[in-house]
Amino acid sequence: MAEPKQERAVKTREAILYAAAEIFDEYGYSGASVSKIMNRAGVTQGGMYFHFKSKRSLAQAVMASQQDFVNFPMGEAGLQRVIDLTFHLARELQENVLVRASIRLAVEQGEFGMQDDTVYREWADRLYTYLRAARERGELLSEVDEREFANVLVGAYSGTQLYSQVSTGRADLPERVASLWHYLLPGITPPHVRAKLRAGHRRSGVAA
């Protein structure tokens, strides 16, 4: 039985998006080309332009789908879930080309004429939701502003993963994330809560 036209279209779009992510991850926006993406996806020019009108529209689609590419870990609401998400994202950055490409494009978006902080705000909003739950559980110090810390964490994490990418191709990203929490946690949560949290291990073996 022939595959329904709509289903084929969905699969073709997904194949193009995945191929585009691979090419953007390998070459960056400037080094990528529509022909490379078409060849990687195995689609015709007509098939490509039916779904995406330009390289820029492809980059926008990959970047805008950033959270869709992440299989978020389950867990109880609260500060531990915030921590777990940062380590999960570190593994995704090491293993998931879709996530890597979307984050690379968010950094390089000036190259295709964009200045859009939507993807960063989306992460801050998700973290804010988790931090509100942490507040309700009594896990945060009274002086911590959940919204402000969500923004601080997005900025700190973005810089950490970028530094790791330049230094080791993100091979050491989990260790760098553990170090990040080692220094952040004392500023946001009391000692008795901190003692119960799992935040990875520093290279020295001291619990973060």
Side-chain angles (χ1 to χ4, degrees), residues 134-152:
R135 169 67 67 199
E136 293 171 1
R137 290 161 59 96
E139 295 177 335
L140 299 177
L141 295 171
S142 60
E143 61 267 29
V144 174
D145 180 281
E146 297 92 334
R147 175 66 70 183
E148 183 178 35
F149 181 67
N151 289 329
V152 167

Side-chain angles (χ1 to χ4, degrees), residues 12-14 16-17 45 47-55 57-59 61-62:
T12 299
R13 188 182 189 280
E14 290 177 349
I16 295 170
L17 201 63
Q45 188 175 51
M48 169 68 75
Y49 287 108
F50 175 80
H51 293 281
F52 301 99
K53 303 306 181 186
S54 65
K55 183 174 77 167
S57 67
L58 261 170
V62 172

Side-chain angles (χ1 to χ4, degrees), residues 78-89:
L79 191 52
Q80 185 64 61
R81 193 169 188 185
V82 176
I83 294 168
D84 290 346
L85 176 57
T86 62
F87 282 99
H88 180 76
L89 186 57

